[in-house]
Amino acid sequence: MTPMKSIKIAPSILSCDFGRLNEEIRTIEPYCDRIHVDVMDGHFVPNITIGPPVVKMIRSKKPLECHLMIEEPERYVEAFAKAGASIILIHQETCPHLHRNIQQIKDLGLKAGVALNPATSLGTIEDVLDTVDMVLLMTVNPGFGGQNFIELVLPKIAELRAMKHDLDIEVDGGITDKTAHRVKEAGANILVSGSYIFSLKNRKKAIKSLLNA
Ligand code: DX5
Ligand code: ZN
């Protein structure tokens, strides 16, 4: 199904040179819709990345989208809001009180999204679908950049698009010029991409290739 919504690109800074973070951001900023920031705690996922102090150092006019791959995200949501996040994504798998946690993000005046691992079914978020601004379907198991796209998520994207036609559906993991058209055809309209974009010197061309795929 072709998505009705326009396609947006969210480069993941996980694959950029952190020593030159703001320089790297300047290479993508004019061509993207938002900046995707991967936050990992070494518990929910087997990797540790960055926290609010680094988010605070990011200089960008584009909205910062913080993808919290952390346990008990409610303990850190306010700190990420203060650090400059505009959108916060929490994982269903880390939130026994998902509705409350979504409200916490919205009460801070931010956009709230819920993320699902490849093995987590849509039924787990059906009841909160009308309260979130977007849903992120992981197309890899979260934890690392540069992993291979997991095909079994494609029918899940289509199923979610059929459940809610005007929903912002984001996909994250293994998105390249080879896989972008498949997620778009399934119904995704926001594409996160890290290693593909940052492995290419010409970032404008990289982002365009995802938009045109
Ligand atoms: C994975 C992260 C992704 C990742 C995407 O846990 O959530 O955002 O950085 O990286 P690529 O595009 O390299 O798969
Ligand atoms: Zn991510």
Side-chain angles (χ1 to χ4, degrees), residues 12 14-15 36 38 40 67 69 138 140 142-147 172-175 192-195:
S12 161
L14 187 60
S15 292
H36 185 88
D38 286 308
M40 306 187 189
H67 175 194
M69 288 163 276
M138 292 304 300
V140 297
F144 304 94
Q147 302 183 78
D172 184 5
I175 303 299
V192 177
S193 180
S195 53

